[in-house]
Amino acid sequence: MLHERPDGSRIEVAVDIPPQAQRIVLLNNGMGMPHEYWDWVCGALPADMGYVRFNPPGYGLSTPTTHYGLERHFALLQELRETYTAGLPLVLAGHSLGGYLVAAYASFHPGAAEGVSAVVMVDATDVAQLRSSRRSEGDRWFHQSMLMERVYALAGLSAFRPALNKNQTYRPDTNRSFTAFGAEPRTWAMTHRDYRDAMTYPALTALDVPLSVVTAENNQGDNAEHHAVQAKMAALAKSSRHHIIDGADHESLLTVQAYAETVAEVIAGEPPAERTGSERRQSAGDRPAAKTAACAERS
């Protein structure tokens, strides 16, 4: 559906708030990712938890804009919250750069933490580490890959060699949405812009709400370094937990159903009451009951 903003622009949103909902999660996608990334997570939420997810301006069916930056994003989160959450207790959850964005909103935006029961950062981006990578080999690779993806999209080749959801891990209709999203040249131009913008964002220093950090066991770089950075994020809040999901990588945390169900368990679980150390978690599919009770209720 399309959410109409006061200025006449529109935001593509997916909203599901059951009549019995006692709480809601507002989901923020990773950089350059469509809101469909959350499909398996949303399907595994318990019946008393609604969700709101969205594509930022310029992505998918959302109206493009020439105005960017953190404050604009915070204003959008606030607007969606006021429109759809009906004052119910709110969990803020985000993947990759979306993890940073929801935590930054709760930390920096005036009054945003009020009514927020927890923040969940899913393999979130450390903007300070991102900034330090400028002009590195990885930075040059990202520039080149974004340029090539835009060229492929302009040439109409993206539908045949998708950069997103390469293994077609979702249901057929969701897979088709992914293909259409990646075939739009604007997607890659926007992703490149978001990447550069993220290098200017302020580092998080503290978070005054319960925090859960979910980390993929496997990373493209050094796993130990990645886990240490994620553990540092967990130290932002006085009440926090750090979950490491065995077998998962950055993308498969959401694209593989069993891992996504484990992420949903963290989102729907009781917020941490104190700061605990890191804990390793098996995915839902590796545990004796392959389908969780939460997932069974939702489906």
Side-chain angles (χ1 to χ4, degrees), residues 3-270:
H3 164 81
E4 188 162 346
R5 308 194 71 185
D7 63 1
S9 65
R10 295 182 175 185
I11 295 294
E12 185 178 4
V13 297
V15 179
D16 181 16
I17 303 176
Q20 69 272 33
Q22 300 296 310
R23 54 211 171 122
I24 296 175
V25 58
L26 177 57
L27 299 159
N28 204 132
N29 323 327
M31 181 170 56
M33 302 301 180
H35 71 73
E36 285 90 352
Y37 243 74
W38 296 102
D39 266 18
W40 291 133
V41 170
C42 291
L45 294 173
D48 71 343
M49 191 170 206
Y51 66 78
V52 178
R53 66 191 204 211
F54 65 97
N55 283 333
Y59 287 105
L61 300 179
S62 296
T63 306
T65 180
T66 57
H67 304 290
Y68 308 111
L70 272 185
E71 291 304 323
R72 294 277 180 174
H73 195 79
F74 293 166
L76 175 57
L77 291 175
Q78 187 69 28
E79 182 180 323
L80 294 175
R81 177 181 178 178
E82 291 174 354
T83 303
Y84 297 108
T85 65
L88 291 171
L90 184 68
V91 175
L92 299 169
H95 173 248
S96 196
L97 184 61
Y100 166 83
L101 290 170
V102 294
Y105 165 69
S107 180
F108 299 140
H109 192 66
E114 185 177 349
V116 173
S117 59
V119 168
V120 181
M121 302 174 75
V122 183
D123 223 43
T125 300
D126 180 352
V127 294
Q129 186 183 46
L130 186 66
R131 189 159 46 245
S132 70
S133 72
R134 187 158 191 169
R135 297 188 178 88
S136 68
E137 183 178 341
D139 184 46
R140 289 191 293 272
W141 172 85
F142 185 86
H143 281 287
Q144 184 178 358
S145 63
M146 290 301 98
L147 175 61
M148 292 308 300
E149 291 302 337
R150 195 173 185 189
V151 169
Y152 289 140
L154 286 165
L157 299 175
S158 294
F160 303 102
R161 45 145 320 280
L164 302 176
N165 191 33
K166 293 179 183 178
N167 297 317
Q168 301 288 289
T169 52
Y170 293 96
R171 299 178 181 91
D173 58 334
T174 304
N175 290 331
R176 288 192 292 271
S177 292
F178 262 94
T179 300
F181 186 87
E184 173 55 60
R186 187 177 67 199
T187 294
W188 306 107
M190 297 290 294
T191 302
H192 186 264
R193 188 220 68 204
D194 286 350
Y195 174 77
R196 276 295 177 222
D197 279 358
M199 289 187 171
T200 69
Y201 294 163
L204 296 166
T205 57
L207 194 57
D208 196 25
V209 293
L211 170 65
S212 290
V213 173
V214 180
T215 301
E217 179 190 18
N218 300 314
N219 184 53
Q220 284 186 339
D222 185 305
N223 282 342
E225 180 183 357
H226 180 62
H227 294 174
V229 169
Q230 296 282 300
K232 186 176 71 173
M233 290 183 189
L236 290 169
K238 294 179 180 178
S239 301
S240 66
R241 292 195 194 101
H242 182 201
H243 308 271
I244 300 173
I245 299 184
D246 287 340
D249 60 34
H250 185 71
E251 183 176 338
S252 68
L253 275 171
L254 300 187
T255 62
V256 172
Q257 185 175 4
Y259 298 144
E261 288 173 2
T262 304
V263 173
E265 288 178 6
V266 175
I267 289 173
E270 195 69 26

